[in-house]
Amino acid sequence: MGSQSENKKHLPENVLDDIVKLVKSVDTMIQNFNSIRKPIKDSSTSVPKANQQLNKVTKETEKAANRMLDLVEGITDKEIETLSIVGDLLASAENLTEDEQCKLQKVQQNAEQVQNDTFLIMDSLQFQDITTQQIHHASSILDAIENEMHSLLRAMGEAFEGGNKLERQFDPNATMEDSKKRQRNIDDLIKSVKS
Amino acid sequence: MKILIVEDSPTMRRIVKNTLKRIGYSEFEEAEDGLSALTKLADSSIDFIITDWNMPEMNGLDFIQRVKSNSTYSKIPILMVTTRSVEQDVLKALEAGAASYIIKPFTPQVMREKINEILN
């Protein structure tokens, strides 16, 4: 076997240059890898934190929506009671003056208006389910990014245990927009299927 | 008429229940996913089912298929109430045995209309 210096002598000059360039390039790559290792590692620990924050948002909005539902149900019950009392009083209208009847009718109209408005508030609370699905979609994207980062870090020689991911069921296209139009399209589709 | 509401979101379960009360229904059972809904079906006499699609354990589509493949429950009408409005999803639900389909957010008018259509 020849020595290293002997081998060198057998290599053409241009190949030797290429090898030197290649070694330098690999060295730079290793340095680059090492310089991005820390930011990747840091980011990979930030992703679960972001997911935790999103979960908090979901839980807080759910709590808030349920508190609002408690209030709305309370108001609705009271309005039903009010409307029932006013209805009874108006039924015995012969004992009331014209002015008293007018006032009671006004109370009845107001109570009905409040009841309708509370129903509208209740309908609007459907936003909570839809935004939760949108948040779950965002969380699943973050999970995928975290998995990719862990794979990259493992390839760089870092030991990583994958944490347990929450099972999320969601519609990636969940939206509040154009619900009437989308319902009409579905109704047309159902009609065409059934006809 | 006793209605089984199958929905994983507690908020939505309350909204669906309140909507049904507003349009004249008063008897309900509730389940948070398809699997627990099957238990409810076995335990109580259900006349009508309203189910969501995206749920853990067993989703709404699988639940409909399970109900429709069981001769004891197959005649119970099922209304799907979901955010999924892609044509293929609607067709899948109908194929599985859903009698009709409502997308969220819905109005009480649409709920009343669909239930009446199914029952009549």
Side-chain angles (χ1 to χ4, degrees), chain A residues 62 70 73 129 187 194, chain B residues 10 14 18 99 103-104 114:
Chain A
E62 178 151 357
D70 289 340
E73 283 172 1
D129 180 51
D187 291 347
K194 290 189 175 174
Chain B
R14 282 179 79 174
N18 276 300
I103 57 150
K104 297 174 188 170
K114 296 297 166 202

Side-chain angles (χ1 to χ4, degrees), chain A residues 3-13 16 20:
Chain A
S3 68
Q4 219 174 357
S5 58
E6 278 173 339
N7 284 339
K8 262 186 183 177
K9 282 175 197 164
H10 296 123
L11 288 169
E13 196 68 22
L16 198 64
V20 170

Side-chain angles (χ1 to χ4, degrees), chain A residues 81-98:
Chain A
E81 200 183 331
T82 306
L83 284 167
S84 163
I85 294 167
V86 173
D88 287 347
L89 288 171
L90 282 170
S92 56
E94 68 273 12
N95 302 323
L96 303 169
T97 64
E98 203 171 310

Side-chain angles (χ1 to χ4, degrees), chain B residues 12-116:
Chain B
M12 274 311 298
R13 279 205 301 276
R14 282 179 79 174
I15 292 171
V16 171
K17 198 161 90 174
N18 276 300
T19 305
L20 291 169
K21 278 185 188 170
R22 271 154 73 185
I23 59 175
Y25 299 97
S26 55
E27 281 188 89
F28 313 101
E29 284 290 340
E30 295 176 43
E32 59 187 21
D33 56 59
L35 215 54
S36 48
L38 289 174
T39 313
K40 292 276 177 186
L41 271 178
D43 292 346
S44 32
S45 168
I46 301 293
D47 306 298
F48 197 96
I49 299 169
I50 292 177
T51 185
D52 182 22
W53 185 312
N54 292 105
M55 294 180 289
E57 304 297 336
M58 184 189 287
N59 69 39
L61 192 68
D62 293 341
F63 169 65
I64 295 176
Q65 283 163 346
R66 289 283 291 271
V67 173
K68 292 296 164 185
S69 63
N70 182 318
S71 57
T72 315
Y73 315 125
S74 61
K75 294 273 190 295
I76 303 174
I78 306 178
L79 173 60
M80 177 72 97
V81 180
T82 174
T83 53
R84 301 173 81 111
S85 56
V86 177
E87 193 177 308
Q88 278 181 332
D89 288 338
V90 183
L91 294 173
K92 271 186 205 169
L94 295 177
E95 244 171 63
S100 197
Y101 199 100
I102 293 179
I103 57 150
K104 297 174 188 170
F106 60 84
T107 62
Q109 290 78 14
V110 171
M111 180 70 85
R112 179 189 284 131
E113 195 184 297
K114 296 297 166 202
I115 294 177
N116 288 345

Side-chain angles (χ1 to χ4, degrees), chain A residues 63-130:
Chain A
K63 265 192 209 167
N66 273 291
R67 274 199 299 274
M68 284 175 79
L69 273 171
D70 289 340
L71 294 170
V72 165
E73 283 172 1
I75 295 168
T76 309
D77 289 346
K78 285 191 182 82
E79 288 307 321
I80 289 169
E81 200 183 331
T82 306
L83 284 167
S84 163
I85 294 167
V86 173
D88 287 347
L89 288 171
L90 282 170
S92 56
E94 68 273 12
N95 302 323
L96 303 169
T97 64
E98 203 171 310
D99 183 48
E100 284 170 336
Q101 281 183 43
C102 282
K103 281 177 180 163
L104 276 175
Q105 277 160 358
K106 187 68 188 160
V107 171
Q108 190 179 40
Q109 280 168 13
N110 286 348
E112 279 168 357
Q113 186 59 53
V114 171
Q115 194 179 39
N116 288 335
D117 289 348
T118 51
F119 286 152
L120 287 176
I121 293 171
M122 201 183 307
D123 294 342
S124 328
L125 290 174
Q126 290 181 61
F127 87 90
Q128 198 273 327
D129 180 51
I130 291 157

Side-chain angles (χ1 to χ4, degrees), chain A:
Chain A
M1 276 178 82
S3 68
Q4 219 174 357
S5 58
E6 278 173 339
N7 284 339
K8 262 186 183 177
K9 282 175 197 164
H10 296 123
L11 288 169
E13 196 68 22
N14 58 339
V15 173
L16 198 64
D17 285 348
D18 284 346
I19 290 171
V20 170
K21 277 182 196 164
L22 190 66
V23 169
K24 279 183 181 168
S25 165
V26 169
D27 189 48
T28 312
M29 271 170 65
I30 290 168
Q31 280 176 28
N32 287 341
F33 264 130
N34 283 333
S35 67
I36 61 168
R37 186 193 300 257
K38 192 177 179 306
I40 291 176
K41 214 171 169 179
D42 291 347
S43 300
S44 76
T45 53
S46 300
V47 173
K49 281 179 195 160
N51 256 335
Q52 280 168 13
Q53 281 303 115
L54 289 174
N55 282 337
K56 266 190 196 171
V57 172
T58 305
K59 282 182 183 154
E60 291 298 326
T61 52
E62 178 151 357
K63 265 192 209 167
N66 273 291
R67 274 199 299 274
M68 284 175 79
L69 273 171
D70 289 340
L71 294 170
V72 165
E73 283 172 1
I75 295 168
T76 309
D77 289 346
K78 285 191 182 82
E79 288 307 321
I80 289 169
E81 200 183 331
T82 306
L83 284 167
S84 163
I85 294 167
V86 173
D88 287 347
L89 288 171
L90 282 170
S92 56
E94 68 273 12
N95 302 323
L96 303 169
T97 64
E98 203 171 310
D99 183 48
E100 284 170 336
Q101 281 183 43
C102 282
K103 281 177 180 163
L104 276 175
Q105 277 160 358
K106 187 68 188 160
V107 171
Q108 190 179 40
Q109 280 168 13
N110 286 348
E112 279 168 357
Q113 186 59 53
V114 171
Q115 194 179 39
N116 288 335
D117 289 348
T118 51
F119 286 152
L120 287 176
I121 293 171
M122 201 183 307
D123 294 342
S124 328
L125 290 174
Q126 290 181 61
F127 87 90
Q128 198 273 327
D129 180 51
I130 291 157
T131 52
T132 294
Q133 296 200 47
Q134 290 168 339
I135 288 172
H136 282 173
H137 188 200
S139 292
S140 74
I141 293 169
L142 286 174
D143 281 346
I145 292 169
E146 189 189 351
N147 285 339
E148 290 300 321
M149 283 175 165
H150 285 182
S151 302
L152 198 58
L153 285 166
R154 270 189 222 104
M156 288 173 165
E158 295 278 345
F160 252 99
E161 288 290 318
N164 287 335
K165 298 277 180 289
L166 285 174
E167 190 204 347
R168 298 185 184 91
Q169 291 285 331
F170 60 88
D171 170 14
N173 303 310
T175 177
M176 293 286 286
E177 283 171 24
D178 297 328
S179 60
K180 279 184 186 169
K181 190 181 165 198
R182 286 184 292 132
Q183 184 65 55
R184 272 200 305 273
N185 291 342
I186 285 168
D187 291 347
D188 291 343
L189 178 66
I190 294 174
K191 265 183 209 157
S192 72
V193 168
K194 290 189 175 174
S195 63

